[in-house]
Amino acid sequence: MKKLMNKPSGFVDEMLGGLIAANPSLALSGETGRVVHRAKPTRKGKVGVVSGGGSGHLPLFTGYVGEGLLDGCSIGNVFEGPTVGSCIEAIRLADGGEGVLRLYGNYGGDRMNFDMAGEMLEDEGIRTTTVLGNDDVASAGPAERQKRRGVAGIIYAYKTAGALAETGADLDAVTAIAQKTVDRTRTIGVALSPCQVPGSDKPSFTLGENEIEMGMGIHGEPGIWRDQLKPADSIADEMVERLLADKPDGAGPRVSILVNSLGATPLEELFILYRRARAKLESAGMTIVRPLVGHYATSMEMAGASISLCFVDDEIEALLGKPAYCPFWTVTA
């Protein structure tokens, strides 16, 4: 696969350099230059919110650093988690004296390094808490939700936690709203073609010319089934049905829907999916609030899409509507 790059070894750092140069609201720090944070220091008395993960998923993770969202983010190589050192640096930079929420996806390497960072910073007097995104319904059944991967739906928790932190809420409250949002969010994806990590001599997985795979993960993790390409309406119907079948206990009829490109799939195809998904949800008695369609969590140049549902209540819906700004997502009052 062709890529616009120089050397594979410089791919991430050159990407970060361009991201910061194009967005004056962001700054880059850390011994290895792998921590993206707000250019303005964290306000004293404000709870910090940080995330982290591997490169290759823009706008996730670093693209959501901004007002009303994340304070900082540590980033690793493509499809590799951040180092312990960059996790530590991200937390320090986000600390306004009231503690820091670590909000990231449920992947083993990320958990290990963020946990180590948190333990080390506790000795410095920085209190931290953790919430793990685990919205991918294809990666484990309802009885094992704690094993599910975190994918595009984590951006809803970025938004609610970031919005509440801006109000001066304490760390326990910010942590609670992030966990509540994660608990009410479900995602499933479908892949049409693979991607290739810079420097690799082959794609991350293979799919036949006319094949699709339902439930494939954002790193090429196996999905639920593989079959011949089906009409968009059929695909959207199944995705929505699977998400509604996993509806959280006690959830009401209001949902925010995110139709997300995994990289190569264009907006035109996303809107075809959204059109059908919205109709399917409304026929099931659901009311759509604050829909999102676009590139929110990608996998390099993978073709495919994911659909996320956040089953909102009054609190979550209000926080989703609070003003926010980052390079890839702006919410106005």
Side-chain angles (χ1 to χ4, degrees), residues 36-333:
V36 175
H37 58 97
R38 300 189 200 181
K40 294 180 180 179
T42 301
R43 185 178 76 245
K44 293 300 180 184
K46 176 190 170 302
V47 168
V49 183
V50 301
S51 192
S55 295
H57 301 301
L58 274 174
L60 210 64
F61 301 86
T62 53
Y64 296 108
V65 174
E67 298 293 330
L69 292 156
L70 299 175
D71 293 279
C73 184
S74 55
I75 197 74
N77 291 325
V78 176
F79 295 179
E80 295 179 12
T83 65
V84 175
S86 63
C87 293
I88 289 173
E89 291 160 346
I91 294 168
R92 281 180 178 150
L93 286 164
D95 180 41
E98 295 299 322
V100 177
L101 167 63
R102 299 174 283 156
L103 175 56
Y104 56 95
N106 188 24
Y107 296 90
D110 297 356
R111 291 199 311 270
M112 180 178 67
N113 288 349
F114 265 110
D115 285 349
M116 290 176 64
E119 291 171 3
M120 294 171 72
L121 289 172
E122 291 284 349
D123 295 335
E124 296 182 14
I126 299 176
R127 183 185 170 211
T128 63
T129 57
T130 298
V131 173
L132 298 175
N134 61 350
D135 49 308
D136 186 356
V137 302
S139 55
E144 296 183 304
R145 269 200 64 230
Q146 74 281 1
K147 295 182 179 180
R148 288 177 172 173
R149 300 182 292 256
V151 284
I154 197 173
I155 71 163
Y156 285 112
Y158 288 171
K159 182 68 184 68
T160 57
L164 192 60
E166 295 289 354
T167 70
D170 65 21
L171 181 58
D172 289 338
V174 173
T175 303
I177 192 60
Q179 188 64 64
K180 179 180 179 181
T181 307
V182 166
D183 290 344
R184 286 172 165 261
T185 302
R186 303 289 189 270
T187 301
I188 191 167
V190 62
L192 279 72
S193 70
C195 64
Q196 188 162 322
V197 174
S200 175
D201 60 358
K202 60 183 178 180
S204 54
F205 61 91
T206 58
L207 269 175
E209 182 66 26
N210 293 309
E211 286 186 321
I212 61 171
E213 184 158 339
M214 179 67 69
M216 179 169 281
I218 58 174
H219 307 106
E221 297 95 337
I224 300 169
W225 56 255
R226 180 176 292 202
D227 203 346
Q228 295 299 297
L229 183 63
K230 301 179 181 183
D233 284 0
S234 175
I235 295 169
D237 284 351
E238 179 174 345
M239 295 172 83
V240 170
E241 287 167 4
R242 288 183 179 275
L243 295 175
L244 290 179
D246 210 285
K247 183 178 179 181
D249 292 340
R254 303 197 316 280
V255 294
S256 176
I257 177 174
L258 164 62
V259 179
N260 168 63
S261 172
L262 292 175
T265 298
L267 282 168
E268 288 87 348
E269 294 175 31
L270 298 183
F271 282 118
I272 290 172
L273 288 176
Y274 175 76
R275 158 197 151 272
R276 181 66 172 195
R278 183 184 184 101
K280 184 78 171 175
L281 288 166
E282 289 177 341
S283 70
M286 309 300 291
T287 299
I288 310 297
V289 300
R290 298 199 168 274
L292 301 168
V293 180
H295 291 68
Y296 287 83
T298 65
S299 184
M300 300 296 290
E301 71 278 12
M302 185 189 295
S306 63
I307 296 179
S308 302
L309 297 181
C310 180
F311 295 83
V312 305
D313 61 4
D314 290 344
E315 182 182 30
I316 291 175
E317 185 175 352
L319 291 169
L320 291 179
K322 295 294 184 182
Y325 169 78
C326 71
F328 302 93
W329 190 13
T330 297
V331 180
T332 57

